[in-house]
Amino acid sequence: MRQTLLDRDLVRPVGRPVIRLLPWLEVVSIGGTAIMDRGADAVLSVVDELRAALPEHRMLITTGAGVRARHVLGVGLDLGLPTAALAGLAATEAEQHGHMIAALLAADGVSYVPHETAAGQLATHLQASRAVVANGYPPYGRHEFPPAVGKIPVHRADAGTFLLADAYGAERTIYVKDVDGIDTGSGTVARIGAAELLDAAPAALPIDPLVLLLMATAKHVREIRIVDGLTPGALTRALAGEDVGTVVHA
C-alpha cells in the first residue's frame, strides 16, 4: 500500500486473470452507413433477426453514425471546429440511430440507454430485458484524442463498441456491415489476423482501423466477427456461433 505506481515492479503484469464482468454478454454493432442509411429494407430485416434472437441471447446493441454525420463533420471542418467538438457532433447521429432501433424493439422490452447507463448499469438493465441499445461512439467528447493527420475523431462507433465489449469481457462481438468478407487485394478472406490485416492495408475496410490496433492490447476480446446484414440469416448464424462472415483475430 505504500508503493508508488511509478514503481516498475509494482506495475509489471502479474499472472492474475482479469475478471470478465459479463461473460455471457453478446455485443452487436449495427453500422450506420452500412445498414441504417439503407432504410427500411435493410434495417427491418436486421431488427427482425435481433427480435428472434432475444429468447436465447442477452445483447448490447450499439449503433454507428452514417451519412448525416459526414455532412455535419464537413460543416464543422469548414467552420474550423476542433476535433473535440467534432466528436460530439458525429456521436449525435449514432445516438439517433440507437433510438430508432430501440423504438422498433420497444414492444419486446428493449430500450435505449445513454452512455453512463451502458457503462455503469448495464447488468441491471439486462436483468430486466434481454437486450439494450446504446450509442457506439465513446463519450470522449472534449477528451477526444487529437488525430495524427487532420481533425476527424479517431474514436468512432466501431472502436467504442470494441472498448465496451472488452471492458465487460463479452462472449461475442459482431459487427453488422454490408459485406461479409475482407478483400486484402489477393482475394477475400474468411479469417485473418489484425496485424496481418493492417500490414495488407486494403483499399477499403468495413471497420475502423483503430479496432485492429486495440485488439493487440485487449484483455478479453481476442476476435471479432463481421457479417453482412443485407444477407438474411447471417446475423442469426453469427449469434449461434456458426462460421459465417469474416473473423478478425488478435
Side-chain angles (χ1 to χ4, degrees):
M1 289 187 293
R2 297 188 181 98
Q3 295 281 359
T4 169
L5 290 179
L6 297 178
D7 187 327
R8 293 184 182 276
D9 289 332
L10 179 64
V11 300
R12 182 177 294 116
V14 295
R16 187 176 297 120
V18 180
I19 295 174
R20 287 182 177 268
L21 301 181
L22 299 178
W24 37 259
L25 180 64
E26 299 186 82
V27 178
V28 178
S29 171
I30 301 177
T33 303
I35 300 298
M36 299 300 298
D37 281 353
R38 292 178 180 269
D41 289 344
V43 174
L44 293 179
S45 177
V46 170
V47 167
D48 285 343
E49 291 195 52
L50 291 170
R51 180 179 293 111
L54 290 176
E56 301 295 330
H57 305 275
R58 283 187 283 183
M59 297 175 286
L60 169 62
I61 303 165
T62 64
T63 51
V67 69
R68 295 190 304 279
R70 297 185 183 187
H71 293 163
V72 76
L73 286 174
V75 174
L77 289 169
D78 190 49
L79 293 172
L81 296 180
T83 295
L86 297 177
L89 292 173
T92 299
E93 195 206 346
E95 181 179 13
Q96 292 170 349
H97 285 161
H99 282 292
M100 292 181 193
I101 295 296
L104 293 170
L105 291 170
D108 301 281
V110 177
S111 60
Y112 178 87
V113 298
H115 279 130
E116 295 81 2
T117 303
Q121 301 174 20
L122 182 61
T124 299
H125 282 263
L126 288 176
Q127 290 299 317
S129 174
R130 302 294 297 182
V132 299
V133 184
N135 184 348
Y137 265 71
Y140 288 140
R142 295 296 190 270
H143 299 275
E144 176 60 60
F145 293 16
V149 178
K151 294 196 299 181
I152 300 298
V154 295
H155 291 95
R156 296 190 289 272
D158 289 347
T161 296
F162 183 88
L163 290 170
L164 264 178
D166 190 59
Y168 278 121
E171 177 183 8
R172 190 172 288 114
T173 305
I174 301 169
Y175 289 88
V176 183
K177 302 292 186 178
D178 55 0
V179 296
D180 63 358
I182 297 176
D183 190 348
T184 60
S186 57
T188 300
V189 296
R191 186 177 181 86
I192 189 171
E196 181 184 352
L197 187 54
L198 280 172
D199 290 339
L205 272 175
I207 57 172
D208 291 339
L210 181 57
V211 174
L212 306 179
L213 295 173
L214 292 171
M215 291 186 75
T217 52
K219 304 305 180 189
H220 298 298
V221 180
R222 307 305 295 166
E223 69 175 37
I224 60 175
R225 189 177 294 274
I226 302 167
V227 300
D228 186 356
L230 306 180
T231 300
L235 174 57
T236 299
R237 292 177 60 197
L239 286 168
E242 297 183 23
D243 188 13
V244 60
T246 297
V247 171
V248 181
H249 60 85

